[in-house]
Amino acid sequence: YYLVFLIGILVHYFLVTIITIISNNIHRKNLNFDSVIHIFSSLVLPEVSNDWDDPEKETEVEEMSNEEIQEMYHQSWVKTAIETISLVVLHMIENILMTLPVVTLYYRANERHQFLH
């Protein structure tokens, strides 16, 4: 059974990597140490890789108009929201899958109890 758990961790790592790459427009070759640490820490709880209010290009923010800044923050918020929802759904599915053995155990024990009764 430990092999199934290990495969689950590897699948989770792979899925979180895909979610991080898609939501932040990161290329695979640009995954740095911080990205890898984020992916490993998300095994425990869903955690986004970036805050939505951190400007990606601080030097360009000074030269932007208010509308451009608002649009940049809105796009950043949307990306963060998508990443958050994706990670929460992924963790929810994993938690449901991890409870299936307990449910199976209950029904088999109940069936055995009814048989012996």
Side-chain angles (χ1 to χ4, degrees):
Y1 291 109
Y2 69 91
L3 189 60
V4 173
F5 186 72
L6 181 64
I7 290 171
I9 289 175
L10 293 175
V11 168
H12 176 86
Y13 179 82
F14 178 71
L15 290 174
V16 172
T17 303
I18 290 173
I19 291 170
T20 303
I21 288 172
I22 290 173
S23 66
N24 293 318
N25 294 329
I26 299 174
H27 298 290
R28 285 184 305 181
K29 56 188 170 191
N30 291 341
L31 282 176
N32 55 15
F33 184 71
D34 292 336
S35 298
V36 173
I37 292 298
H38 161 259
I39 293 168
F40 276 122
S41 70
S42 73
L43 285 171
V44 179
L45 64 127
E47 178 185 11
V48 294
S49 57
N50 294 323
D51 289 332
W52 68 269
D53 58 350
D54 285 342
E56 297 171 1
K57 303 171 186 171
E58 291 183 19
T59 56
E60 293 181 10
V61 169
E62 297 171 356
E63 302 167 1
M64 297 172 108
S65 69
N66 284 338
E67 291 81 21
E68 292 172 335
I69 292 172
Q70 288 176 352
E71 181 62 29
M72 181 188 71
Y73 279 127
H74 178 72
Q75 289 174 355
S76 179
W77 180 84
V78 168
K79 288 179 186 178
T80 304
I82 290 171
E83 184 178 7
T84 303
I85 291 169
S86 301
L87 289 173
V88 167
V89 168
L90 176 65
H91 276 267
M92 181 183 67
I93 291 170
E94 289 175 349
N95 287 335
I96 289 171
L97 288 175
M98 286 193 286
T99 60
L100 288 180
V102 174
V103 173
T104 304
L105 174 68
Y106 167 76
Y107 282 115
R108 288 189 180 174
N110 193 24
E111 181 180 287
R112 179 74 175 164
H113 176 73
Q114 294 298 328
F115 175 74
L116 294 175
H117 194 55

Short mmCIF file of all heavy atoms in Angstrom, two decimals, residues 29-92:
data_model
loop_
_atom_site.label_atom_id
_atom_site.label_comp_id
_atom_site.label_asym_id
_atom_site.label_seq_id
_atom_site.Cartn_x
_atom_site.Cartn_y
_atom_site.Cartn_z
N LYS A 29 11.65 25.36 -18.07
CA LYS A 29 13.06 25.60 -17.79
C LYS A 29 13.28 26.74 -16.80
O LYS A 29 14.36 26.90 -16.27
CB LYS A 29 13.82 25.88 -19.08
CG LYS A 29 13.27 27.03 -19.88
CD LYS A 29 13.96 27.12 -21.22
CE LYS A 29 13.21 28.12 -22.10
NZ LYS A 29 13.66 28.08 -23.46
N ASN A 30 12.22 27.51 -16.51
CA ASN A 30 12.33 28.62 -15.56
C ASN A 30 11.88 28.24 -14.15
O ASN A 30 11.76 29.11 -13.30
CB ASN A 30 11.53 29.82 -16.04
CG ASN A 30 12.14 30.46 -17.26
OD1 ASN A 30 13.31 30.26 -17.54
ND2 ASN A 30 11.35 31.23 -17.98
N LEU A 31 11.60 26.96 -13.91
CA LEU A 31 11.24 26.54 -12.56
C LEU A 31 12.49 26.63 -11.69
O LEU A 31 13.48 25.94 -11.94
CB LEU A 31 10.71 25.11 -12.56
CG LEU A 31 9.28 24.91 -13.02
CD1 LEU A 31 8.94 23.44 -13.06
CD2 LEU A 31 8.31 25.65 -12.14
N ASN A 32 12.46 27.49 -10.69
CA ASN A 32 13.61 27.65 -9.83
C ASN A 32 13.40 26.93 -8.51
O ASN A 32 12.41 26.25 -8.30
CB ASN A 32 13.89 29.15 -9.60
CG ASN A 32 12.68 29.88 -9.06
OD1 ASN A 32 11.74 29.27 -8.59
ND2 ASN A 32 12.70 31.19 -9.13
N PHE A 33 14.35 27.11 -7.60
CA PHE A 33 14.29 26.42 -6.32
C PHE A 33 13.05 26.80 -5.52
O PHE A 33 12.44 25.95 -4.88
CB PHE A 33 15.57 26.72 -5.52
CG PHE A 33 15.66 25.98 -4.23
CD1 PHE A 33 15.90 24.62 -4.21
CD2 PHE A 33 15.49 26.65 -3.03
CE1 PHE A 33 15.97 23.93 -3.01
CE2 PHE A 33 15.57 25.98 -1.83
CZ PHE A 33 15.81 24.61 -1.83
N ASP A 34 12.67 28.08 -5.55
CA ASP A 34 11.47 28.53 -4.83
C ASP A 34 10.21 27.84 -5.35
O ASP A 34 9.31 27.51 -4.58
CB ASP A 34 11.31 30.05 -4.93
CG ASP A 34 12.39 30.80 -4.18
OD1 ASP A 34 12.95 30.21 -3.23
OD2 ASP A 34 12.68 31.95 -4.54
N SER A 35 10.14 27.63 -6.67
CA SER A 35 8.98 26.94 -7.24
C SER A 35 8.92 25.49 -6.77
O SER A 35 7.84 24.98 -6.44
CB SER A 35 9.05 26.97 -8.77
OG SER A 35 9.01 28.28 -9.24
N VAL A 36 10.06 24.84 -6.70
CA VAL A 36 10.10 23.44 -6.26
C VAL A 36 9.71 23.35 -4.78
O VAL A 36 8.94 22.47 -4.38
CB VAL A 36 11.50 22.84 -6.51
CG1 VAL A 36 11.62 21.46 -5.89
CG2 VAL A 36 11.78 22.79 -7.99
N ILE A 37 10.21 24.28 -3.96
CA ILE A 37 9.84 24.30 -2.53
C ILE A 37 8.34 24.55 -2.38
O ILE A 37 7.68 23.92 -1.55
CB ILE A 37 10.65 25.37 -1.78
CG1 ILE A 37 12.13 24.98 -1.73
CG2 ILE A 37 10.12 25.59 -0.37
CD1 ILE A 37 12.42 23.69 -1.00
N HIS A 38 7.80 25.46 -3.18
CA HIS A 38 6.34 25.71 -3.13
C HIS A 38 5.56 24.46 -3.46
O HIS A 38 4.57 24.14 -2.81
CB HIS A 38 5.97 26.84 -4.10
CG HIS A 38 4.52 26.85 -4.44
ND1 HIS A 38 4.04 26.34 -5.61
CD2 HIS A 38 3.44 27.27 -3.74
CE1 HIS A 38 2.73 26.46 -5.63
NE2 HIS A 38 2.34 27.02 -4.50
N ILE A 39 5.99 23.73 -4.48
CA ILE A 39 5.28 22.53 -4.89
C ILE A 39 5.32 21.47 -3.79
O ILE A 39 4.32 20.82 -3.49
CB ILE A 39 5.85 22.00 -6.22
CG1 ILE A 39 5.52 23.01 -7.34
CG2 ILE A 39 5.31 20.63 -6.55
CD1 ILE A 39 6.27 22.76 -8.63
N PHE A 40 6.48 21.31 -3.14
CA PHE A 40 6.57 20.35 -2.04
C PHE A 40 5.74 20.79 -0.84
O PHE A 40 5.12 19.96 -0.18
CB PHE A 40 8.02 20.13 -1.62
CG PHE A 40 8.74 19.12 -2.45
CD1 PHE A 40 9.89 19.46 -3.13
CD2 PHE A 40 8.26 17.83 -2.58
CE1 PHE A 40 10.55 18.53 -3.91
CE2 PHE A 40 8.91 16.89 -3.36
CZ PHE A 40 10.05 17.25 -4.03
N SER A 41 5.72 22.08 -0.55
CA SER A 41 4.94 22.54 0.61
C SER A 41 3.45 22.42 0.35
O SER A 41 2.66 22.33 1.29
CB SER A 41 5.31 23.98 0.96
OG SER A 41 4.85 24.87 -0.02
N SER A 42 3.05 22.40 -0.90
CA SER A 42 1.62 22.27 -1.20
C SER A 42 1.13 20.83 -1.04
O SER A 42 -0.05 20.57 -1.22
CB SER A 42 1.32 22.77 -2.62
OG SER A 42 1.80 21.85 -3.56
N LEU A 43 2.01 19.91 -0.70
CA LEU A 43 1.55 18.56 -0.37
C LEU A 43 0.71 18.57 0.90
O LEU A 43 -0.16 17.74 1.07
CB LEU A 43 2.75 17.62 -0.18
CG LEU A 43 3.47 17.17 -1.43
CD1 LEU A 43 4.75 16.44 -1.07
CD2 LEU A 43 2.58 16.29 -2.27
N VAL A 44 0.98 19.52 1.78
CA VAL A 44 0.30 19.58 3.06
C VAL A 44 -0.99 20.39 2.97
O VAL A 44 -2.03 19.97 3.43
CB VAL A 44 1.22 20.17 4.14
CG1 VAL A 44 0.52 20.27 5.47
CG2 VAL A 44 2.49 19.35 4.25
N LEU A 45 -0.92 21.58 2.36
CA LEU A 45 -2.09 22.43 2.24
C LEU A 45 -1.99 23.24 0.95
O LEU A 45 -0.90 23.51 0.47
CB LEU A 45 -2.23 23.37 3.45
CG LEU A 45 -1.11 24.38 3.63
CD1 LEU A 45 -1.73 25.77 3.74
CD2 LEU A 45 -0.36 24.06 4.90
N PRO A 46 -3.14 23.61 0.39
CA PRO A 46 -3.10 24.37 -0.85
C PRO A 46 -2.55 25.78 -0.60
O PRO A 46 -3.09 26.52 0.21
CB PRO A 46 -4.55 24.42 -1.32
CG PRO A 46 -5.36 24.01 -0.15
CD PRO A 46 -4.49 23.28 0.79
N GLU A 47 -1.48 26.10 -1.28
CA GLU A 47 -0.83 27.39 -1.10
C GLU A 47 -0.47 27.95 -2.47
O GLU A 47 0.13 27.26 -3.29
CB GLU A 47 0.44 27.19 -0.26
CG GLU A 47 1.23 28.44 -0.05
CD GLU A 47 2.52 28.16 0.70
OE1 GLU A 47 2.90 27.00 0.86
OE2 GLU A 47 3.15 29.13 1.09
N VAL A 48 -0.85 29.20 -2.72
CA VAL A 48 -0.55 29.81 -4.02
C VAL A 48 0.92 30.19 -4.08
O VAL A 48 1.56 30.45 -3.06
CB VAL A 48 -1.44 31.03 -4.30
CG1 VAL A 48 -2.88 30.62 -4.45
CG2 VAL A 48 -1.30 32.08 -3.23
N SER A 49 1.46 30.24 -5.29
CA SER A 49 2.89 30.51 -5.45
C SER A 49 3.22 31.99 -5.35
O SER A 49 4.31 32.35 -4.93
CB SER A 49 3.39 29.94 -6.77
OG SER A 49 2.64 30.49 -7.83
N ASN A 50 2.29 32.87 -5.75
CA ASN A 50 2.54 34.30 -5.72
C ASN A 50 1.32 35.02 -5.17
O ASN A 50 0.19 34.59 -5.36
CB ASN A 50 2.81 34.85 -7.12
CG ASN A 50 4.08 34.32 -7.71
OD1 ASN A 50 5.07 34.12 -7.01
ND2 ASN A 50 4.07 34.06 -9.00
N ASP A 51 1.57 36.15 -4.50
CA ASP A 51 0.46 37.00 -4.09
C ASP A 51 -0.01 37.80 -5.30
O ASP A 51 0.77 38.16 -6.16
CB ASP A 51 0.88 37.96 -2.98
CG ASP A 51 1.12 37.25 -1.66
OD1 ASP A 51 0.48 36.21 -1.44
OD2 ASP A 51 1.92 37.74 -0.87
N TRP A 52 -1.29 38.10 -5.32
CA TRP A 52 -1.83 38.83 -6.48
C TRP A 52 -1.41 40.28 -6.48
O TRP A 52 -1.37 40.92 -7.53
CB TRP A 52 -3.35 38.73 -6.52
CG TRP A 52 -4.04 39.45 -5.41
CD1 TRP A 52 -4.39 38.92 -4.19
CD2 TRP A 52 -4.46 40.80 -5.38
NE1 TRP A 52 -4.99 39.86 -3.43
CE2 TRP A 52 -5.05 41.05 -4.14
CE3 TRP A 52 -4.38 41.84 -6.30
CZ2 TRP A 52 -5.57 42.27 -3.79
CZ3 TRP A 52 -4.90 43.07 -5.94
CH2 TRP A 52 -5.48 43.27 -4.70
N ASP A 53 -1.05 40.84 -5.32
CA ASP A 53 -0.72 42.26 -5.27
C ASP A 53 0.78 42.55 -5.33
O ASP A 53 1.19 43.68 -5.12
CB ASP A 53 -1.34 42.91 -4.04
CG ASP A 53 -0.88 42.27 -2.75
OD1 ASP A 53 -0.25 41.21 -2.80
OD2 ASP A 53 -1.18 42.83 -1.68
N ASP A 54 1.58 41.54 -5.62
CA ASP A 54 3.01 41.78 -5.85
C ASP A 54 3.22 42.13 -7.31
O ASP A 54 2.98 41.30 -8.19
CB ASP A 54 3.84 40.53 -5.51
CG ASP A 54 3.98 40.32 -4.03
OD1 ASP A 54 3.75 41.29 -3.28
OD2 ASP A 54 4.32 39.20 -3.62
N PRO A 55 3.67 43.33 -7.60
CA PRO A 55 3.90 43.69 -9.01
C PRO A 55 5.03 42.85 -9.60
O PRO A 55 6.08 42.69 -8.98
CB PRO A 55 4.25 45.17 -8.98
CG PRO A 55 4.57 45.48 -7.57
CD PRO A 55 3.97 44.42 -6.70
N GLU A 56 4.77 42.30 -10.78
CA GLU A 56 5.76 41.46 -11.43
C GLU A 56 6.92 42.28 -11.97
O GLU A 56 8.06 41.87 -11.96
CB GLU A 56 5.11 40.65 -12.55
CG GLU A 56 4.05 39.71 -12.05
CD GLU A 56 3.27 39.08 -13.19
OE1 GLU A 56 3.57 39.37 -14.36
OE2 GLU A 56 2.36 38.31 -12.90
N LYS A 57 6.60 43.45 -12.45
CA LYS A 57 7.62 44.32 -13.05
C LYS A 57 7.55 45.67 -12.36
O LYS A 57 6.87 46.57 -12.79
CB LYS A 57 7.36 44.46 -14.54
CG LYS A 57 7.34 43.13 -15.26
CD LYS A 57 6.87 43.30 -16.67
CE LYS A 57 6.71 41.93 -17.32
NZ LYS A 57 6.07 42.01 -18.61
N GLU A 58 8.28 45.79 -11.25
CA GLU A 58 8.20 47.00 -10.45
C GLU A 58 8.70 48.24 -11.21
O GLU A 58 8.21 49.33 -10.99
CB GLU A 58 9.00 46.82 -9.16
CG GLU A 58 8.37 45.82 -8.22
CD GLU A 58 9.14 45.70 -6.92
OE1 GLU A 58 9.93 46.62 -6.61
OE2 GLU A 58 8.95 44.70 -6.24
N THR A 59 9.66 48.05 -12.09
CA THR A 59 10.19 49.21 -12.80
C THR A 59 9.19 49.77 -13.79
O THR A 59 9.14 50.97 -14.01
CB THR A 59 11.48 48.83 -13.56
OG1 THR A 59 11.20 47.74 -14.43
CG2 THR A 59 12.57 48.44 -12.58
N GLU A 60 8.37 48.91 -14.35
CA GLU A 60 7.39 49.37 -15.33
C GLU A 60 6.16 49.97 -14.67
O GLU A 60 5.43 50.73 -15.31
CB GLU A 60 6.97 48.21 -16.25
CG GLU A 60 8.10 47.72 -17.14
CD GLU A 60 7.66 46.60 -18.05
OE1 GLU A 60 6.44 46.34 -18.11
OE2 GLU A 60 8.51 45.98 -18.67
N VAL A 61 5.90 49.66 -13.41
CA VAL A 61 4.72 50.16 -12.73
C VAL A 61 4.77 51.68 -12.62
O VAL A 61 3.75 52.36 -12.76
CB VAL A 61 4.57 49.52 -11.33
CG1 VAL A 61 3.51 50.21 -10.51
CG2 VAL A 61 4.26 48.04 -11.46
N GLU A 62 5.95 52.23 -12.41
CA GLU A 62 6.09 53.68 -12.27
C GLU A 62 5.73 54.41 -13.55
O GLU A 62 5.31 55.56 -13.51
CB GLU A 62 7.52 54.01 -11.85
CG GLU A 62 7.88 53.45 -10.49
CD GLU A 62 9.36 53.61 -10.18
OE1 GLU A 62 10.09 54.10 -11.06
OE2 GLU A 62 9.75 53.24 -9.07
N GLU A 63 5.88 53.76 -14.68
CA GLU A 63 5.62 54.39 -15.96
C GLU A 63 4.22 54.10 -16.50
O GLU A 63 3.85 54.60 -17.56
CB GLU A 63 6.66 53.90 -16.98
CG GLU A 63 8.08 54.20 -16.55
CD GLU A 63 9.10 53.45 -17.38
OE1 GLU A 63 8.69 52.71 -18.30
OE2 GLU A 63 10.29 53.60 -17.12
N MET A 64 3.43 53.34 -15.78
CA MET A 64 2.11 52.94 -16.26
C MET A 64 1.05 53.93 -15.79
O MET A 64 1.20 54.59 -14.76
CB MET A 64 1.75 51.55 -15.74
CG MET A 64 2.66 50.45 -16.21
SD MET A 64 2.30 48.92 -15.36
CE MET A 64 1.54 48.01 -16.67
N SER A 65 -0.04 53.96 -16.54
CA SER A 65 -1.18 54.77 -16.13
C SER A 65 -2.00 54.00 -15.10
O SER A 65 -1.79 52.81 -14.89
CB SER A 65 -2.04 55.12 -17.34
OG SER A 65 -2.67 53.95 -17.82
N ASN A 66 -2.93 54.68 -14.46
CA ASN A 66 -3.76 54.03 -13.44
C ASN A 66 -4.57 52.88 -14.02
O ASN A 66 -4.73 51.84 -13.38
CB ASN A 66 -4.69 55.04 -12.79
CG ASN A 66 -3.97 55.92 -11.80
OD1 ASN A 66 -2.90 55.56 -11.31
ND2 ASN A 66 -4.54 57.08 -11.52
N GLU A 67 -5.11 53.06 -15.22
CA GLU A 67 -5.90 51.99 -15.85
C GLU A 67 -5.04 50.77 -16.14
O GLU A 67 -5.47 49.63 -15.95
CB GLU A 67 -6.55 52.49 -17.15
CG GLU A 67 -7.64 53.52 -16.95
CD GLU A 67 -7.08 54.94 -16.74
OE1 GLU A 67 -5.91 55.19 -17.13
OE2 GLU A 67 -7.80 55.77 -16.19
N GLU A 68 -3.82 50.99 -16.59
CA GLU A 68 -2.92 49.87 -16.88
C GLU A 68 -2.53 49.13 -15.60
O GLU A 68 -2.46 47.90 -15.58
CB GLU A 68 -1.67 50.37 -17.60
CG GLU A 68 -1.92 50.87 -18.99
CD GLU A 68 -0.70 51.55 -19.59
OE1 GLU A 68 0.16 52.05 -18.85
OE2 GLU A 68 -0.63 51.55 -20.83
N ILE A 69 -2.32 49.90 -14.54
CA ILE A 69 -1.99 49.28 -13.25
C ILE A 69 -3.17 48.47 -12.74
O ILE A 69 -3.01 47.34 -12.27
CB ILE A 69 -1.56 50.35 -12.23
CG1 ILE A 69 -0.23 50.97 -12.65
CG2 ILE A 69 -1.45 49.76 -10.83
CD1 ILE A 69 0.19 52.16 -11.81
N GLN A 70 -4.37 49.04 -12.85
CA GLN A 70 -5.56 48.30 -12.41
C GLN A 70 -5.75 47.03 -13.22
O GLN A 70 -6.09 45.97 -12.68
CB GLN A 70 -6.79 49.19 -12.53
CG GLN A 70 -6.85 50.28 -11.49
CD GLN A 70 -8.04 51.20 -11.70
OE1 GLN A 70 -8.74 51.12 -12.71
NE2 GLN A 70 -8.26 52.09 -10.74
N GLU A 71 -5.51 47.09 -14.52
CA GLU A 71 -5.65 45.90 -15.37
C GLU A 71 -4.59 44.85 -15.00
O GLU A 71 -4.89 43.66 -14.96
CB GLU A 71 -5.51 46.30 -16.85
CG GLU A 71 -5.66 45.15 -17.80
CD GLU A 71 -7.03 44.48 -17.74
OE1 GLU A 71 -8.03 45.16 -17.41
OE2 GLU A 71 -7.10 43.27 -18.01
N MET A 72 -3.38 45.31 -14.72
CA MET A 72 -2.32 44.38 -14.33
C MET A 72 -2.68 43.67 -13.02
O MET A 72 -2.54 42.45 -12.91
CB MET A 72 -0.99 45.12 -14.16
CG MET A 72 0.16 44.21 -13.77
SD MET A 72 1.65 45.09 -13.34
CE MET A 72 1.21 45.82 -11.79
N TYR A 73 -3.18 44.43 -12.04
CA TYR A 73 -3.57 43.82 -10.77
C TYR A 73 -4.77 42.90 -10.95
O TYR A 73 -4.86 41.85 -10.31
CB TYR A 73 -3.88 44.88 -9.73
CG TYR A 73 -2.63 45.44 -9.07
CD1 TYR A 73 -2.40 46.81 -9.03
CD2 TYR A 73 -1.69 44.61 -8.48
CE1 TYR A 73 -1.26 47.33 -8.43
CE2 TYR A 73 -0.56 45.11 -7.88
CZ TYR A 73 -0.35 46.47 -7.85
OH TYR A 73 0.77 46.96 -7.26
N HIS A 74 -5.70 43.27 -11.81
CA HIS A 74 -6.87 42.42 -12.05
C HIS A 74 -6.44 41.09 -12.68
O HIS A 74 -6.91 40.02 -12.26
CB HIS A 74 -7.88 43.13 -12.96
CG HIS A 74 -9.07 42.29 -13.28
ND1 HIS A 74 -10.04 42.01 -12.34
CD2 HIS A 74 -9.42 41.64 -14.41
CE1 HIS A 74 -10.95 41.22 -12.89
NE2 HIS A 74 -10.60 40.99 -14.15
N GLN A 75 -5.56 41.14 -13.66
CA GLN A 75 -5.07 39.90 -14.28
C GLN A 75 -4.32 39.04 -13.26
O GLN A 75 -4.46 37.82 -13.25
CB GLN A 75 -4.17 40.22 -15.47
CG GLN A 75 -4.90 40.78 -16.66
CD GLN A 75 -3.96 41.21 -17.76
OE1 GLN A 75 -2.74 41.19 -17.62
NE2 GLN A 75 -4.53 41.62 -18.89
N SER A 76 -3.54 39.68 -12.42
CA SER A 76 -2.81 38.96 -11.39
C SER A 76 -3.77 38.31 -10.39
O SER A 76 -3.57 37.17 -9.96
CB SER A 76 -1.86 39.91 -10.67
OG SER A 76 -1.16 39.24 -9.66
N TRP A 77 -4.84 39.03 -10.04
CA TRP A 77 -5.83 38.48 -9.13
C TRP A 77 -6.53 37.28 -9.74
O TRP A 77 -6.77 36.27 -9.06
CB TRP A 77 -6.85 39.56 -8.75
CG TRP A 77 -7.89 39.06 -7.81
CD1 TRP A 77 -7.80 38.98 -6.45
CD2 TRP A 77 -9.17 38.54 -8.15
NE1 TRP A 77 -8.95 38.45 -5.92
CE2 TRP A 77 -9.82 38.17 -6.96
CE3 TRP A 77 -9.84 38.35 -9.35
CZ2 TRP A 77 -11.09 37.62 -6.93
CZ3 TRP A 77 -11.10 37.80 -9.33
CH2 TRP A 77 -11.71 37.44 -8.12
N VAL A 78 -6.88 37.38 -11.03
CA VAL A 78 -7.55 36.26 -11.71
C VAL A 78 -6.64 35.03 -11.73
O VAL A 78 -7.09 33.91 -11.45
CB VAL A 78 -7.98 36.68 -13.14
CG1 VAL A 78 -8.41 35.48 -13.95
CG2 VAL A 78 -9.09 37.72 -13.08
N LYS A 79 -5.36 35.22 -12.05
CA LYS A 79 -4.43 34.09 -12.07
C LYS A 79 -4.33 33.44 -10.68
O LYS A 79 -4.32 32.22 -10.56
CB LYS A 79 -3.04 34.55 -12.52
CG LYS A 79 -2.95 34.89 -13.97
CD LYS A 79 -1.54 35.37 -14.30
CE LYS A 79 -1.44 35.85 -15.72
NZ LYS A 79 -0.08 36.36 -16.02
N THR A 80 -4.25 34.28 -9.65
CA THR A 80 -4.15 33.75 -8.29
C THR A 80 -5.44 33.03 -7.89
O THR A 80 -5.38 31.99 -7.23
CB THR A 80 -3.84 34.89 -7.30
OG1 THR A 80 -2.65 35.55 -7.72
CG2 THR A 80 -3.65 34.37 -5.90
N ALA A 81 -6.58 33.56 -8.27
CA ALA A 81 -7.85 32.91 -7.96
C ALA A 81 -7.95 31.56 -8.65
O ALA A 81 -8.40 30.57 -8.04
CB ALA A 81 -9.02 33.81 -8.37
N ILE A 82 -7.54 31.48 -9.90
CA ILE A 82 -7.57 30.21 -10.63
C ILE A 82 -6.65 29.19 -9.96
O ILE A 82 -7.02 28.03 -9.78
CB ILE A 82 -7.20 30.42 -12.11
CG1 ILE A 82 -8.31 31.18 -12.82
CG2 ILE A 82 -6.90 29.10 -12.80
CD1 ILE A 82 -7.96 31.62 -14.22
N GLU A 83 -5.46 29.64 -9.58
CA GLU A 83 -4.52 28.73 -8.92
C GLU A 83 -5.08 28.26 -7.57
O GLU A 83 -5.00 27.07 -7.25
CB GLU A 83 -3.17 29.42 -8.71
CG GLU A 83 -2.12 28.52 -8.12
CD GLU A 83 -0.78 29.20 -7.95
OE1 GLU A 83 -0.67 30.42 -8.16
OE2 GLU A 83 0.17 28.49 -7.60
N THR A 84 -5.68 29.16 -6.81
CA THR A 84 -6.25 28.80 -5.51
C THR A 84 -7.38 27.79 -5.67
O THR A 84 -7.41 26.76 -4.97
CB THR A 84 -6.77 30.06 -4.79
OG1 THR A 84 -5.70 30.99 -4.65
CG2 THR A 84 -7.34 29.71 -3.43
N ILE A 85 -8.29 28.06 -6.57
CA ILE A 85 -9.42 27.15 -6.78
C ILE A 85 -8.93 25.79 -7.27
O ILE A 85 -9.40 24.74 -6.81
CB ILE A 85 -10.43 27.78 -7.76
CG1 ILE A 85 -11.11 28.98 -7.11
CG2 ILE A 85 -11.47 26.77 -8.22
CD1 ILE A 85 -11.92 29.83 -8.05
N SER A 86 -7.97 25.79 -8.18
CA SER A 86 -7.44 24.52 -8.70
C SER A 86 -6.79 23.71 -7.58
O SER A 86 -7.01 22.49 -7.49
CB SER A 86 -6.41 24.79 -9.79
OG SER A 86 -6.98 25.50 -10.84
N LEU A 87 -6.02 24.35 -6.73
CA LEU A 87 -5.35 23.63 -5.65
C LEU A 87 -6.35 23.12 -4.61
O LEU A 87 -6.21 22.00 -4.10
CB LEU A 87 -4.30 24.51 -4.98
CG LEU A 87 -3.07 24.80 -5.83
CD1 LEU A 87 -2.17 25.83 -5.14
CD2 LEU A 87 -2.29 23.53 -6.12
N VAL A 88 -7.37 23.90 -4.30
CA VAL A 88 -8.38 23.46 -3.33
C VAL A 88 -9.14 22.26 -3.89
O VAL A 88 -9.39 21.28 -3.17
CB VAL A 88 -9.32 24.62 -2.97
CG1 VAL A 88 -10.55 24.13 -2.23
CG2 VAL A 88 -8.59 25.65 -2.13
N VAL A 89 -9.51 22.30 -5.16
CA VAL A 89 -10.23 21.18 -5.79
C VAL A 89 -9.33 19.94 -5.81
O VAL A 89 -9.79 18.82 -5.52
CB VAL A 89 -10.72 21.56 -7.20
CG1 VAL A 89 -11.18 20.34 -7.97
CG2 VAL A 89 -11.82 22.59 -7.11
N LEU A 90 -8.05 20.11 -6.14
CA LEU A 90 -7.12 18.98 -6.15
C LEU A 90 -7.03 18.35 -4.76
O LEU A 90 -7.11 17.12 -4.63
CB LEU A 90 -5.74 19.43 -6.63
CG LEU A 90 -4.64 18.39 -6.61
CD1 LEU A 90 -4.95 17.28 -7.59
CD2 LEU A 90 -3.30 19.03 -6.92
N HIS A 91 -6.89 19.16 -3.73
CA HIS A 91 -6.81 18.62 -2.36
C HIS A 91 -8.12 17.97 -1.95
O HIS A 91 -8.11 16.95 -1.25
CB HIS A 91 -6.43 19.73 -1.38
CG HIS A 91 -4.96 19.96 -1.31
ND1 HIS A 91 -4.16 19.34 -0.40
CD2 HIS A 91 -4.14 20.74 -2.06
CE1 HIS A 91 -2.91 19.71 -0.56
NE2 HIS A 91 -2.87 20.57 -1.58
N MET A 92 -9.25 18.53 -2.37
CA MET A 92 -10.54 17.94 -2.03
C MET A 92 -10.66 16.55 -2.66
O MET A 92 -11.08 15.59 -1.99
CB MET A 92 -11.67 18.83 -2.52
CG MET A 92 -13.05 18.32 -2.19
SD MET A 92 -14.37 19.33 -2.84
CE MET A 92 -14.16 19.09 -4.60
#
